[in-house]
Amino acid sequence: YYNNSVHNYVEFMLREFYGTEIETKLSAIGGSRLHHHNIDHLLEPNNLNLDQQIDLLIMQGGSTEVIAKKDQDKFIKSAEEFSAKAQAKGVKTALYMTHAFTKADRRFEPNLIKKIAKTYFEAGERSDSIVIPVGLAYEIAYKERPSIKLHHIDGTHPSPLGTYLGAATVFASITDKSPEGLEFDYYGTINEKDRIFLQEVAWKAYITWQRRVKLRKND
């Protein structure tokens, strides 16, 4: 929900690509975990001020749900339960992979992305959900351009560039299309160089994740 929330960025991107009205909604509880959300309430369209059922439900766990085994298990179980309820109503499901902390956050640990990726892979498999590899996109971006600022100064929340990268990765993952070439720059706040770079990284992260999933399934 930082920077006017990733869902609004995604909405602009989808509208530009499809040339039609698309609506997105956000349900967020600060400092919460996936199981704190009332999924039954959210799967009733009128509770979202909508007159029809949503097409896709994207779920994100709390950033600390990937650290300890018991928390990982709880997140995966919640993803399974919530996805089953959504899918029973004809709603597709996806999981928004969180990004790792930087050293500015006391919860930082080296190679946290490995725990994140493993947890979200398993949750995706068990809940029959798409995994949106935002955490992987952050890692790729930092590797290719170490000076880029994707995190807020607190080391956990996204900067505007981080939100843009997250949205571009969502776009790639739910459309199976590259965001490269989209003109959306959030009212001129994302410069052309960053926009092009982040779109390229988002597509690279999506393709990389798809390859990993294929390899894991073939093991």
Side-chain angles (χ1 to χ4, degrees):
Y1 52 82
Y2 265 54
N3 312 306
N4 197 29
S5 185
V6 67
H7 79 288
N8 284 315
Y9 289 57
V10 172
E11 183 172 299
F12 277 113
M13 292 179 178
L14 292 173
R15 288 185 177 191
E16 178 183 336
F17 183 77
Y18 287 110
T20 187
E21 289 296 305
I22 291 174
E23 190 166 4
T24 59
K25 295 287 185 176
L26 171 73
S27 174
I29 307 172
S32 69
R33 302 189 172 196
L34 183 59
H35 68 268
H36 291 137
H37 293 266
N38 186 339
I39 191 62
D40 297 309
H41 178 84
L42 296 173
L43 289 173
E44 291 298 327
N46 61 301
N47 293 330
L48 300 175
N49 194 28
L50 296 173
D51 58 9
Q52 64 184 57
Q53 184 58 274
I54 59 174
D55 300 294
L56 173 68
L57 171 69
I58 300 177
M59 297 169 283
Q60 178 195 307
S63 56
T64 60
E65 287 194 78
V66 299
I67 297 176
K69 182 66 166 59
K70 64 180 180 62
D71 294 326
Q72 294 171 0
D73 291 343
K74 179 64 175 177
F75 166 69
I76 293 169
K77 182 179 179 181
S78 298
E80 283 187 276
E81 293 176 354
F82 287 12
S83 294
K85 289 185 176 184
Q87 291 161 9
K89 292 178 177 286
V91 178
K92 295 180 181 178
T93 56
L95 300 171
Y96 184 103
M97 180 197 294
T98 53
H99 52 261
F101 305 115
T102 69
K103 292 181 179 179
D105 191 287
R106 61 180 175 77
R107 296 164 296 185
F108 168 82
E109 61 179 77
N111 298 316
L112 180 59
I113 189 62
K114 291 183 178 180
K115 286 185 179 180
I116 295 172
K118 181 178 182 295
T119 302
Y120 275 81
F121 178 85
E122 185 174 348
E125 287 288 286
R126 288 173 53 176
S127 66
D128 194 23
S129 300
I130 296 168
V131 174
I132 301 170
V134 176
L136 177 60
Y138 270 58
E139 298 297 313
I140 292 172
Y142 277 129
K143 183 177 181 179
E144 295 189 5
R145 194 192 289 182
S147 62
I148 197 168
K149 304 296 184 183
L150 300 177
H151 284 76
H152 185 269
I153 194 171
D154 62 10
T156 177
H157 295 103
S159 70
L161 292 181
T163 295
Y164 192 95
L165 177 58
T169 309
V170 172
F171 175 93
S173 300
I174 67 176
T175 65
D176 193 31
K177 303 292 183 182
S178 174
E180 295 167 275
L182 290 176
E183 296 181 359
F184 169 68
D185 58 6
Y186 200 67
Y187 303 105
T189 60
I190 309 296
N191 68 49
E192 183 178 12
K193 180 181 177 181
D194 289 335
R195 174 176 58 81
I196 292 172
F197 174 70
L198 295 172
Q199 290 174 358
E200 290 174 347
V201 168
W203 184 241
K204 189 176 296 184
Y206 171 67
I207 294 299
T208 300
W209 184 257
Q210 292 306 305
R211 288 173 181 159
R212 288 187 185 181
V213 170
K214 187 175 181 179
L215 286 173
R216 287 283 295 271
K217 288 182 176 180
N218 290 336
D219 284 345

